Amino acid sequence: TLKASGGNGACTSHSNLWVVSGAGGGGFVGFNWSKPSGYSLLLRPSFNILINGGALGSDETGHGCNLIPGREMLEATFGRNGQNMSITACAGGHAGVFCDLCDKDSWSD
């Protein structure tokens, strides 16, 4: 697994006052991978790439920040997802980190 995920935000409370930090955004994972001759999907590296953004985390006592009143308005503090892609342009009909062949009938000029 390659992980470039954003960290979660944090929160703390003092009486009726809540302090919330923003979560981190996901990172970028790019490959400049050339297909070897005689390439087949069986030879392609296989692993997970995690680029999700962070969300609300926990306070200093380990309680989730989901206890915050009005927390549904805090989505702006969530980190955005990052990107994963091939660094070089894929040939027509190919896409993704390893420029895999697109599914039948899913690609057009």
Side-chain angles (χ1 to χ4, degrees):
T1 298
L2 289 176
K3 186 174 182 178
S5 299
N8 288 334
C11 63
T12 188
S13 65
H14 300 283
S15 298
N16 290 330
L17 174 66
W18 284 87
V19 178
V20 179
S21 70
F28 173 80
V29 175
F31 284 96
N32 184 12
W33 187 73
S34 298
K35 294 178 184 174
S37 61
Y39 171 80
S40 80
L41 285 178
L42 298 175
L43 298 175
R44 177 176 132 346
S46 177
F47 47 81
N48 294 325
I49 300 174
L50 304 177
I51 53 166
N52 47 316
L56 286 177
S58 302
D59 64 16
E60 63 277 0
T61 65
H63 292 97
C65 296
N66 59 352
L67 301 175
I68 299 172
R71 66 190 168 279
E72 57 278 352
M73 296 188 306
L74 294 175
E75 285 189 24
T77 67
F78 291 15
R80 295 185 188 265
N81 290 340
Q83 292 183 324
N84 59 350
M85 60 180 30
S86 173
I87 292 175
T88 55
C90 295
H94 294 75
V97 174
F98 296 108
C99 292
D100 293 325
L101 187 62
C102 295
D103 293 333
K104 184 178 179 185
D105 298 327
S106 67
W107 180 82
S108 68
D109 288 331

